[in-house]
Each structure stands twice: as C-alpha cells, then as structure tokens.
C-alpha cells in the first residue's frame, strides 16, 4: 500500500446518520487523525473505527462548546479543539501549528515543510463557510484536498482554493 492511499477522505455524509449537521470541522479533524494513524500503522482502519474517531471528535467539540449542530465549529477556538482531539486520538502523531492567511503561496510554503493544512474558507462559491484538509500538491500544482463533500481526493487550483485562513498541522517525524 502506498503512502498516498493512507490519506483519509471521509465525507460528512458518512458520519452522524441524521444527528449531526454542519459537521465539516469534526470531519476534517477526523480525516487528519485517521491519516496519521493509518500512516503509522501502514494500513487502513475500519469504517467502524473511523466512526468511533468521528464520534470522539464531535462529542469533544460539543462538550467544550466549540462545535454545535446549528452553527458548526467556532473558528476562533479551532486550535484548542484540534489540539485536544489530537491528544485524545493520536497522541504525538500530529500537532497544530500557527494559523495563516490562506493564499496559494502560503499554502505551498507550509506544505513544502511536510505539514498538512486545515482550511477555514469563508464565502467560497462551492463550499460557503467550510473546513477541510489539504494534504499535498499533485504534479500539476493542484492542491489535494479532503473536502468533506466527496469521499475521495478533490483537486483545487489557485483560483478555486478560496479565501480564508488555515491552521498548519505538523506531522511527527
């Protein structure tokens, strides 16, 4: 199994079964945790384990009042939410770094360090106010994203990546 196939591209439709709404933040965090665990273990985790990770992440967000079903995830407290979710589900594998203004140049700079991006896009033509993960850049220069809408990689170019912020997600060496 190659390293690219160990990336997680779960969608919001796979989780919650009608209970959760506006859960792109917990889904993005879940994708990061699953990617870290699959990379470390060298194999895919089961759908049941993926659901367990999501439930852990979403319930933590609700308990800390950072995520709610009506309004989604509070961007202001995203760093704290991500940090707590990583400690509970993949201790030592990932850690949140700094927050940056989203631009293709900033994104490429951080990706070149081997980090991932947790995007917070605002007023995006397709996604609206949304959170998703960018893992890497393909050979054509497109950003490889887990957008939370599709259960597979989505490619974004410089014009479709959107505007907003992103949180650097540092990977363990």
């Amino acid at each position: 199994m190659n390293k690219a196939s160990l990336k997680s591209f779960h969608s919001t439709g796979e989780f919650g079964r009608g209970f959760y709404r506006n859960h792109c933040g917990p889904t993005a965090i879940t994708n990061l945790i699953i990617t870290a665990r699959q990379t470390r273990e060298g194999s895919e985790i089961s759908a049941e384990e993926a659901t367990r990770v999501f439930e852990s992440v979403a319930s933590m967000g609700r308990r800390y009042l950072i995520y709610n079903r009506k309004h989604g995830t509070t961007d202001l407290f995203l760093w704290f939410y991500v940090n707590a979710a990583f400690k509970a589900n993949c201790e030592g594998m990932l850690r949140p770094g700094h927050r940056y203004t989203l631009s293709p140049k900033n994104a490429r700079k951080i990706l070149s360090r081997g980090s991932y991006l947790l995007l917070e896009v605002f007023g995006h033509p397709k996604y609206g106010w949304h959170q998703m993960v960018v893992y890497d850049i393909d050979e054509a220069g497109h950003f490889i994203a887990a957008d939370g809408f599709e259960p597979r990689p989505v490619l974004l170019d410089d014009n479709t990546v959107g505007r907003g912020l992103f949180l650097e997600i540092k990977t363990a060496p």
Side-chain angles (χ1 to χ4, degrees):
M1 180 169 282
N2 68 35
K3 190 174 181 179
S5 67
L6 296 175
K7 301 282 190 281
S8 176
F9 297 93
H10 290 279
S11 69
T12 57
E14 296 174 56
F15 303 122
R17 304 292 179 235
F19 177 74
Y20 290 101
R21 300 276 187 266
N22 299 312
H23 56 291
C24 59
T27 300
I29 296 167
T30 297
N31 275 323
L32 287 162
I33 291 166
I34 291 170
T35 294
R37 290 179 50 188
Q38 289 179 162
T39 300
R40 177 160 288 174
E41 296 166 14
S43 62
E44 289 186 37
I45 67 170
S46 69
E48 294 79 18
E49 180 62 10
T51 299
R52 190 202 66 71
V53 171
F54 171 81
E55 289 293 337
S56 168
V57 170
S59 63
M60 179 180 293
R62 291 176 59 225
R63 191 169 52 251
Y64 294 155
L65 304 176
I66 297 172
Y67 163 74
N68 72 63
R69 292 172 2 117
K70 184 175 181 183
H71 300 290
T73 305
T74 304
D75 292 331
L76 181 62
F77 300 113
L78 187 61
W79 188 96
F80 300 102
Y81 183 21
V82 169
N83 191 51
F86 289 170
K87 283 184 178 181
N89 291 283
C90 65
E91 179 67 42
M93 293 184 224
L94 298 172
R95 63 187 169 88
H98 294 286
R99 185 179 255 160
Y100 298 89
T101 301
L102 177 57
S103 72
K105 181 180 177 182
N106 282 350
R108 283 186 174 82
K109 177 181 173 185
I110 301 305
L111 290 167
S112 73
R113 297 180 187 169
S115 295
Y116 303 136
L117 313 178
L118 178 52
L119 267 57
E120 308 162 69
V121 294
F122 311 137
H124 193 280
K126 177 179 179 180
Y127 299 110
W129 293 71
H130 188 64
Q131 294 176 354
M132 65 180 129
V133 177
V134 171
Y135 290 118
D136 209 346
I137 301 169
D138 73 4
E139 316 76 48
H142 296 104
F143 296 100
I144 303 169
D147 73 350
F149 285 9
E150 301 292 332
R152 63 183 176 278
V154 172
L155 300 178
L156 303 171
D157 63 27
D158 287 5
N159 297 320
T160 59
V161 73
R163 62 185 175 89
L165 303 170
F166 68 86
L167 184 64
E168 178 180 9
I169 305 298
K170 298 179 179 183
T171 59

